[in-house]
């Protein structure tokens, strides 16, 4: 009787699913979206046993087998006899409606083919592979035997984590013992070795575990944030706090609330280099490691994270911008740390801003968003001022630490040799710090040894053969490198233009040259260079950062890498070598970025009990940005910047879209640009303005000539719809490429 009732219920559910087109019988036509560069859906026949809508499937595409997602009912506008069948349904949860909607809306907003968006959501290797196995250890049914202190530590770890199985390395690391101790317990029969799937759930985090004691200011911020977290509706909060104010501890309270309620959280970080330090803080707060998602994670761990996100086998992911596309089962919170950082903008392939996409995804999922920064983007600041975002502020540093004193060094009155960049005033302050056993940081946002290599005989500047860009000398690597295409070559001994020997000289400083100057000025001082191209791996960078934090350097010379979230307790002096670099150019965000970068790097000083000092070398001490940095009146700067943007209808008070056309021949790129300029009616009808075509600031990259156009429209204008109509009649030659960048951050 029971089996008949169950069969009847199954048939009833299946009929309902068929009616809703949520289930397809064998042979039914289904529409499949693959992650291949084919901008359309493909019809297939449902496989033996049928399939659900939104199922991940493997389908034949030409001679290949590719992964796709069932996107609904097939069109049926093709010879049914030629339609092939889905090969199999993958053993992973179907694509959730929330993620499906996000991909569609993100594609619609960024004018990106939906297949490209799906590719971002399936960037885990081996999704179609059968589960692999590994050896793990767990408590036996009847543990017995003599226990040493080390063995008791192992058992305590297992009990604290609810008896979940561990790999040998995980268990030994958590218990603080050697692997032989774990193996010894297995020989005694206290632990048993079992074969378990490699894609196992992550160790559960404990949100009830006490975190660091919060200051009164942090506690007030936490209470305000909990009001937002407990709201039933989606919301976004701007958590703005000065450097060292403890923003991380506050938003980790929101993470604790999220996972305690049975939901999943995502924390986005702008740089891989920040991940290790943050993971340690998460372990201290919750007693276990979160999942990680970035380019430094192994392929095996990427697959595990992807699957566990979908199955609910993880609670927290810490990752780079692409973690936004993971198939979370119950997403409740997204935190965007250092939300102002330009690294959140993807500048090739799919062009999107992870900060904006985080808000979009959270809104679709009914989740909460926290945007955290000491120097928020003007977009977020404006949204908070208008009441669209809640705003929480932390204005004081934690404990005895005080904000660093800020001073400008007027380089117009400093006497320096032509090949030196550290002023006498800054040198004296560095010497004082060395005598006290404290650390100094010299900041220059320019990689390599020198930005220009030229011939003193003929004036030739060494440039890339494939790009209109100068080659940058990297003396540590003994190479010339193009920072646009990555092409490298040996440093020549003779001028390639005139053939003269010993005539090549360098112009201007990079961090490597600045390190050389520091070593010469302070013999015996431990000088360390922090730049992304100095390290061969993320692990090597992590080790160097840990060494610095432990006091293993006297002078740190770094690029913007050092401005992001690192905590060096003994660092008391920051010297910004060339503040004027960021104030130049026609970028509408130049002032904002210069303000943010100098503020952030200055905030590295004096984060412990010792007072900090930040010295800003500049030839323009009267510049409004320099004066704003020195005054400490951030709101005054944002108000002035917002007023200037609003006056000209620039973002966030207006809309921009960049158009980049490239071709092997410059005239072909210009021909397309001129055609678009002549046929701009769809854009003109919404009141938009079209600028260009014009040669891009970097006119040639990888042998392709580049032409730029810019579209400017009012904030409420239906820009994407108009651009689609504008581009619809356009026919591009095979060797011509065109990309659209909605809300561009770069104009190169």
């Amino acid at each position: 009787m029971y089996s008949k009732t169950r069969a009847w219920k199954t048939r009833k559910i299946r009929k309902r699913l068929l009616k809703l087109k949520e289930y397809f019988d064998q042979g039914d036509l289904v529409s499949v979206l693959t992650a291949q560069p084919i901008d359309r859906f493909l019809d297939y026949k449902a496989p033996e046993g049928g399939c659900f809508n939104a199922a991940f499937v493997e389908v034949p595409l030409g001679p290949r087998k590719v992964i796709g997602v069932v996107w609904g009912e097939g069109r049926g506008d093709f010879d049914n006899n030629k339609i092939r069948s889905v090969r199999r349904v993958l053993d992973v949860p179907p694509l959730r409606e929330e993620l499906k909607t996000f991909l569609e809306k993100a594609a619609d907003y960024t004018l990106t083919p939906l297949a490209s968006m799906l590719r971002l959501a399936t960037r885990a290797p081996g999704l179609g592979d059968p589960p692999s196995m590994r050896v793990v250890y767990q408590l036996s049914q009847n543990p017995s035997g003599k226990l040493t202190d080390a063995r008791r530590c192992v058992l305590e770890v297992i009990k604290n984590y609810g008896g979940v199985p561990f790999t040998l390395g995980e268990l030994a690391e958590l218990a603080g013992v050697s692997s032989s101790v774990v193996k010894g317990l297995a020989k005694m029969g206290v632990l048993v070795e079992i074969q378990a799937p490699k894609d196992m759930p992550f160790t559960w985090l404990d949100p009830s575990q006490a975190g660091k004691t919060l200051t009164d200011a942090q506690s007030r911020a936490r209470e305000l944030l909990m009001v937002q977290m407990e709201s039933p509706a989606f919301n976004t909060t701007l958590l703005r706090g000065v450097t060292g104010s403890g923003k991380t501890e506050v938003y980790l309270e929101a993470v604790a609330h999220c996972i305690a309620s049975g939901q999943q959280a995502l924390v986005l970080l702008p740089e891989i280099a920040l991940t290790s330090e943050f993971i340690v803080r998460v372990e201290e707060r919750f007693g276990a490691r979160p999942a990680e998602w970035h380019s430094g994670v192994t392929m095996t761990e990427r697959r595990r994270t992807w699957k566990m996100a979908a199955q609910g086998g993880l609670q927290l992911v810490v990752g780079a911008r692409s973690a936004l596309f993971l198939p979370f089962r119950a997403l409740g919170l997204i935190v965007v740390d250092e939300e102002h950082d330009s690294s959140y903008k993807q500048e090739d392939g799919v062009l999107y801003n992870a900060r904006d996409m985080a808000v979009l995804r959270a809104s679709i999922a009914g989740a909460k968003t926290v945007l955290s920064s000491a120097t928020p983007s003007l977009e977020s600041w404006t949204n908070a001022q208008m009441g669209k975002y809640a705003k929480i502020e932390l204005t004081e540093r934690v404990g005895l630490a005080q904000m660093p004193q800020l001073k400008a060094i007027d380089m117009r009155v400093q006497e320096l040799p032509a090949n030196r960049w550290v002023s006498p005033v800054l040198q004296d302050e560095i010497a004082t710090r060395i005598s006290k056993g404290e650390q100094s940081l010299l900041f220059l946002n320019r990689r390599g040894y020198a930005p220009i290599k030229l011939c003193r005989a003929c004036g030739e500047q060494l440039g890339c053969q494939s790009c209109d860009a100068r080659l940058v000398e990297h003396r540590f690597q003994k190479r010339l490198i193009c920072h646009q295409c990555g092409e490298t070559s040996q440093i020549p001994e003779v001028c390639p233009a005139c053939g003269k020997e010993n005539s090549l000289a360098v112009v201007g400083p990079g961090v490597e040259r600045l390190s050389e100057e520091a070593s010469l000025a302070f013999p015996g001082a431990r000088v360390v260079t922090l730049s992304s191209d100095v390290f061969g791996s993320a692990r090597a960078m992590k080790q160097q950062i840990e060494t610095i934090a432990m006091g293993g350097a006297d002078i740190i010379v770094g690029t913007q890498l050092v401005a992001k979230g690192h905590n060096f307790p003994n660092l008391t002096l920051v010297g910004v070598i060339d503040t004027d670099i960021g104030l130049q150019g026609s970028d509408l965000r130049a002032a904002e970025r210069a303000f943010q970068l100098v503020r952030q790097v200055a905030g590295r000083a004096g984060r412990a009990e010792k007072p900090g000092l930040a010295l800003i070398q500049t030839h323009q001490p009267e510049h409004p940005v320099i004066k704003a940095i020195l005054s400490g009146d951030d709101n005054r700067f944002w108000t002035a910047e917002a007023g200037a943007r609003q006056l000209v209808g620039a973002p966030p008070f207006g809309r921009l879209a960049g158009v980049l056309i490239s071709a092997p021949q410059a005239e072909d790129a210009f021909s397309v640009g001129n055609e678009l300029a002549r046929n701009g009616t769809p854009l003109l009808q919404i009141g938009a303005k079209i600028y260009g075509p014009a040669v891009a600031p970097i006119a040639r990259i990888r042998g392709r000539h580049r032409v730029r156009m810019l579209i400017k429209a009012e904030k409420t204008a239906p820009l994407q719809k108009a651009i689609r109509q504008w581009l619809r009649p356009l026919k591009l030659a095979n060797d011509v490429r065109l990309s659209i960048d909605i809300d561009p951050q770069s104009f190169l």
Side-chain angles (χ1 to χ4, degrees):
M1 182 68 181
Y2 172 77
S3 60
K4 289 182 179 179
T5 302
R6 185 174 180 181
W8 174 79
K9 286 183 178 179
T10 301
R11 286 196 298 272
K12 185 177 180 181
I13 292 171
R14 189 175 175 193
K15 285 181 180 179
R16 182 172 63 85
L17 290 172
L18 282 167
K19 184 178 180 181
L20 295 172
K21 297 298 181 185
E22 291 296 320
Y23 183 86
F24 299 95
D25 260 330
Q26 179 179 347
D28 287 348
L29 285 185
V30 294
S31 184
V32 174
L33 177 68
T34 72
Q36 304 302 307
I38 303 172
D39 193 17
R40 61 190 176 94
F41 295 92
L42 302 174
D43 276 5
Y44 290 91
K45 294 176 182 177
E48 183 179 352
C51 64
F52 285 97
N53 190 22
F56 284 88
V57 293
E58 182 183 86
V59 296
L61 185 63
R64 298 176 295 155
K65 297 178 289 184
V66 301
I67 290 176
V69 175
V70 176
W71 219 266
E73 191 174 12
R75 297 186 306 256
D77 57 353
F78 193 75
D79 185 350
N80 194 58
N81 294 320
K82 295 182 180 179
I83 295 177
R84 295 194 279 181
S85 294
V86 171
R87 291 180 58 87
R88 63 188 178 100
V89 178
L90 304 188
D91 187 22
V92 296
L95 185 71
R96 291 179 57 81
E97 187 63 30
E98 168 260 312
L99 179 53
K100 182 179 179 182
T101 302
F102 170 63
L103 296 179
E104 290 173 335
K105 286 185 176 294
D108 186 63
Y109 185 86
T110 60
L111 298 177
T112 300
L114 190 54
S116 298
M117 281 295 173
L118 181 63
R119 192 178 311 125
L120 291 176
T122 53
R123 292 177 68 178
L127 290 181
D129 296 347
S132 55
M133 307 296 285
R134 65 177 175 179
V135 175
V136 294
Y137 293 81
Q138 66 180 29
L139 279 173
S140 68
Q141 295 283 342
N142 301 298
S144 61
K146 185 178 179 180
L147 297 180
T148 63
D149 289 343
R151 289 170 179 172
R152 289 193 185 93
C153 288
V154 174
L155 299 184
E156 193 68 27
V157 167
I158 294 176
K159 290 174 183 176
N160 287 342
Y161 285 93
V164 298
F166 287 94
T167 64
L168 178 63
E170 288 172 336
L171 190 50
E173 182 180 357
L174 287 170
V177 301
S178 66
S179 58
S180 61
V181 175
V182 179
K183 291 180 179 179
L185 284 168
K187 288 180 180 178
M188 292 169 57
V190 177
L191 300 180
V192 291
E193 292 182 355
I194 60 173
Q195 291 282 332
K198 225 168 192 177
D199 298 326
M200 292 175 61
F202 286 80
T203 305
W204 233 230
L205 307 180
D206 182 5
S208 65
Q209 182 168 302
K212 291 183 178 179
T213 302
L214 302 182
T215 65
D216 290 344
Q218 286 176 310
S219 295
R220 287 192 295 271
R222 178 196 178 279
E223 290 171 7
L224 292 171
L225 188 53
M226 287 305 105
V227 172
Q228 302 301 315
M229 291 298 297
E230 291 167 4
S231 169
F234 151 77
N235 57 63
T236 299
T237 301
L238 174 61
L239 178 59
R240 178 185 169 200
V242 298
T243 54
S245 60
K247 297 183 293 296
T248 303
E249 296 304 327
V250 173
Y251 72 63
L252 283 180
E253 292 298 303
V255 172
H257 182 279
C258 175
I259 62 179
S261 64
Q263 295 180 300
Q264 296 166 311
L266 167 63
V267 176
L268 296 180
L269 301 176
E271 294 283 352
I272 297 175
L274 300 174
T275 307
S276 297
E277 185 178 338
F278 185 79
I279 294 294
V280 171
R281 299 180 76 168
V282 171
E283 285 189 278
E284 291 174 351
R285 176 63 180 83
F286 300 110
R289 292 177 65 87
E292 295 181 62
W293 183 271
H294 51 76
S295 60
V297 175
T298 65
M299 292 295 102
T300 300
E301 280 300 286
R302 286 173 73 90
R303 184 188 64 207
R304 179 192 180 197
T305 297
W306 193 97
K307 288 189 174 182
M308 291 305 106
Q311 296 173 17
L314 58 77
Q315 298 161 293
L316 171 62
V317 176
V318 176
R321 58 181 178 240
S322 58
L324 267 177
F325 296 89
L326 285 170
F328 292 100
R329 183 176 180 178
L331 185 60
L333 171 68
I334 303 176
V335 177
V336 185
D337 201 358
E338 307 287 2
E339 65 87 26
H340 66 278
D341 199 289
S342 59
S343 299
Y344 284 123
K345 180 62 188 282
Q346 174 82 22
E347 295 287 4
D348 55 13
V350 179
L351 307 179
Y352 69 94
N353 190 314
R355 178 197 65 226
D356 300 338
M357 292 298 107
V359 175
L360 174 62
R361 179 150 194 197
S363 69
I364 296 169
K368 312 298 189 292
T369 315
V370 175
L371 307 179
S372 176
S373 176
T375 55
S377 62
L378 186 60
E379 284 81 359
S380 296
W381 184 88
T382 301
N383 283 329
Q385 292 296 106
M386 296 172 62
K388 186 176 180 181
Y389 295 169
K391 181 169 66 173
I392 300 173
E393 294 192 290
L394 291 163
T395 58
E396 299 175 355
R397 284 188 161 180
V398 173
L400 299 176
Q402 299 294 317
M403 290 299 293
Q405 185 181 8
L406 293 165
K407 292 182 179 180
I409 299 175
D410 188 346
M411 297 301 288
R412 295 172 300 184
V413 299
Q414 295 290 307
E415 294 185 4
L416 271 174
N419 60 343
R420 293 289 182 265
W421 291 271
V422 180
S423 66
V425 173
L426 182 52
Q427 282 197 42
D428 289 344
E429 292 291 346
I430 295 171
T432 300
R433 296 311 184 282
I434 292 175
S435 68
K436 292 181 178 180
E438 298 171 2
Q439 293 174 319
S440 302
L441 166 65
L442 298 179
F443 173 76
L444 178 65
N445 199 23
R446 190 183 280 148
R447 292 179 291 151
Y449 185 83
I452 300 174
K453 186 92 171 177
L454 60 76
C455 176
R456 288 174 295 190
C458 69
E460 174 74 9
Q461 295 186 15
L462 302 193
C464 177
Q465 296 298 311
S466 303
C467 308
D468 284 344
R470 300 185 184 98
L471 291 172
V472 177
E473 180 173 337
H474 286 249
R475 194 160 291 186
F476 290 179
Q477 302 176 38
K478 299 179 180 179
R479 306 287 291 178
L480 293 175
I481 300 177
C482 174
H483 286 178
Q484 297 302 320
C485 70
E487 184 176 309
T488 70
S489 61
Q490 291 183 341
I491 300 174
E493 296 183 1
V494 300
C495 174
C498 69
K500 189 171 180 62
E501 296 183 1
N502 302 318
S503 64
L504 295 175
V506 290
V507 177
V511 285
E512 294 177 11
R513 196 174 190 185
L514 195 60
S515 293
E516 183 179 86
E517 180 179 347
S519 297
L520 290 171
F522 301 99
R526 297 168 299 170
V527 180
V528 172
T529 305
L530 276 185
S531 178
S532 58
D533 50 8
V534 172
F535 303 98
S537 67
R539 182 180 298 274
M541 185 186 299
K542 170 192 170 185
Q543 290 174 343
Q544 185 64 277
I545 290 169
E546 289 175 351
T547 299
I548 294 170
M550 295 294 290
D554 300 310
I555 302 172
I556 306 139
V557 180
T559 61
Q560 64 177 351
L561 179 68
V562 300
K564 302 175 182 180
H566 301 298
N567 185 24
F568 302 136
N570 201 36
L571 179 64
T572 59
L573 174 67
V574 168
V576 182
I577 299 303
D578 192 351
T579 314
D580 303 334
I581 294 177
L583 303 177
Q584 300 167 359
S586 57
D587 188 338
L588 71 92
R589 294 183 177 86
E592 177 185 357
R593 286 174 174 158
F595 178 83
Q596 289 167 336
L597 190 55
V598 176
R599 270 293 204 185
Q600 288 279 340
V601 74
R604 299 306 104 198
R607 294 173 68 93
E609 292 81 6
K610 300 173 184 176
L613 172 65
L615 297 177
I616 301 169
Q617 296 190 164
T618 176
H619 290 84
Q620 308 174 67
E622 300 87 7
H623 194 287
V625 174
I626 302 297
K627 294 174 74 173
I629 292 169
L630 296 175
S631 72
D633 190 350
D634 292 12
N635 280 321
R636 184 178 179 182
F637 171 77
W638 294 127
T639 301
E641 185 69 10
R645 299 261 194 101
Q646 192 167 19
L647 195 63
V648 296
F653 305 100
R655 303 198 63 192
L656 293 178
V659 182
L660 178 63
I661 308 161
S662 69
Q665 303 299 323
E667 54 268 27
D668 293 338
F670 264 106
S671 176
V672 172
N674 288 326
E675 180 183 347
L676 288 173
R678 286 192 301 269
N679 300 299
T681 302
L683 294 172
L684 299 177
Q685 286 175 339
I686 66 166
K689 295 180 180 179
I690 306 171
Y691 299 95
V695 176
I698 301 178
R700 188 172 57 103
I701 293 181
R702 297 182 180 90
R704 298 183 65 84
H705 294 267
R706 306 164 78 246
V707 169
R708 277 202 171 274
M709 302 179 73
L710 188 66
I711 305 164
K712 182 181 177 184
E714 293 183 0
K715 191 171 181 64
T716 57
L719 186 58
Q720 283 89 338
K721 180 180 178 181
I723 291 176
R724 286 192 196 90
Q725 294 175 347
W726 183 48
L727 296 179
R728 193 168 292 135
L730 185 65
K731 302 296 182 185
L732 293 177
N734 290 335
D735 56 357
V736 178
R737 299 173 194 159
L738 182 146
S739 64
I740 302 292
D741 187 1
I742 302 293
D743 306 327
Q745 297 288 311
S746 172
F747 301 89
L748 295 179

